[in-house]
């Protein structure tokens, strides 16, 4: 049988990743993006959107745990969490591990992502049937404009900062998030790779600073995201996410008390990253 290869179409990585494909389990299209579910001998099943790897069975937990648990462990009793994007359910699965969470909004523009995840990734989508989950299949920017309540955490798990995901990285979007979160809430969003996209990482920090009095950044090692040194940008109205408020909830495979302490960028690296015009560390 002819060898099949997946040539990842990352929008702006300086290298292109190629994955061996053992089997193509699904290909489809929604009004928003092209879908593929493939298996790779090493990573297992992989979700591909518009040619870009979203997650793999083997290593999805690094990203999903780190997007959910750093903010939520900096709070005594998070109750309401909004996940923007993340239709696959991976971040929601982690959010629901916190017993104080009463409501978890899942706001993905494309409900097809949730359907495909339920069909092909049962361990990633396992939390989607939890009664605490409120699915709102719509543009996250519109959801935020219309949302009138408060939340303890807003977690953005979108596709790369291009196309219809760009609406989730504007000063207006961050400003509305800051108003929803109040004094003790936290906003966290992916902000690409420190190795490959440092100017973009800095741009997200600078935009966050226009909306939040306190910003920060932590990272995690994500083998299947181009550049690997993956950034999570933080905005709060005063809460310090570096201060863990309670012992880790479990079970987790990567996040733990020590990772919470170690994942934030030390000040000298943060300051270097923020130097205008710097292209690399
Ligand atoms: N963990 C992956 C990553 O970091 O690349 C992201 C996974 S998740 C599948 C990305 C989701 O963001 C997609 O399901 C996509 O539909 C959603 N998305 C992109 N732009 C959006 C928007 N403006 N509002 C809501 N969801 C959006």
């Amino acid at each position: 049988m002819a060898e099949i290869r997946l040539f990842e179409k990352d929008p702006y990585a300086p290298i292109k990743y190629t994955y061996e494909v053992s089997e193509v389990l699904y290909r489809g299209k929604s009004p928003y993006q092209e879908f593929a579910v493939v298996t790779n001998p090493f990573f297992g099943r992989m979700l591909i959107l518009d040619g870009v790897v979203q997650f793999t069975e083997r290593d999805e937990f690094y990203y999903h745990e780190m997007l959910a648990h750093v903010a939520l462990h900096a709070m005594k009793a998070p109750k309401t969490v909004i996940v923007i994007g993340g239709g696959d359910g991976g971040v929601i699965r982690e959010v629901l591990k916190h017993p104080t969470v009463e409501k978890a909004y899942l706001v993905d523009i494309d409900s097809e992502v949730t359907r495909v995840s339920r069909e092909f990734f049962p361990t990633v989508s396992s939390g989607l049937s939890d009664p605490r989950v409120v699915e709102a299949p719509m543009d996250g920017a519109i959801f935020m404009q219309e949302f009138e309540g408060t939340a303890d955490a807003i977690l953005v798990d979108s596709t790369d900062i291009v196309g219809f995901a760009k609406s989730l990285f504007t000063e207006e979007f961050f400003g509305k998030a800051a108003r929803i979160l109040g004094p003790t809430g936290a906003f966290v969003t992916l902000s690409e790779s420190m190795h490959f996209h440092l100017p973009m990482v800095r741009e997200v920090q600078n935009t966050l600073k226009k909306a939040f009095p306190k910003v920060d950044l932590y990272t995690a090692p994500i083998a299947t995201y181009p550049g690997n040194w993956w950034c999570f940008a933080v905005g709060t109205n005063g809460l310090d996410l570096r201060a863990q408020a309670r012992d880790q909830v479990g079970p987790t495979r990567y996040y733990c008390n020590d990772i919470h302490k170690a994942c934030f960028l030390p000040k000298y690296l943060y300051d270097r990253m923020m130097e205008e015009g710097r292209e690399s560390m």
Side-chain angles (χ1 to χ4, degrees), residues 147-165:
F147 189 76
E148 289 174 357
T150 59
D152 297 297
I154 297 171
L155 310 173
V156 176
D157 178 18
S158 74
T159 38
D160 289 305
I161 312 175
V162 288
F164 49 78

Side-chain angles (χ1 to χ4, degrees), residues 187-200:
F187 176 88
V188 184
T189 181
L190 69 114
S191 61
E192 307 289 343
S193 161
M194 194 72 83
H195 284 312
F196 287 174
H197 312 119
L198 196 141
M200 182 164 293

Side-chain angles (χ1 to χ4, degrees), residues 33 54 63 88 108-109 113 139-140 157-159 164-165 167 225:
Q33 43 213 343
Q54 300 301 301
Y63 176 86
D88 51 82
D108 197 306
I109 200 167
V113 174
D139 184 326
D157 178 18
S158 74
T159 38
F164 49 78
S167 63
Y225 290 168

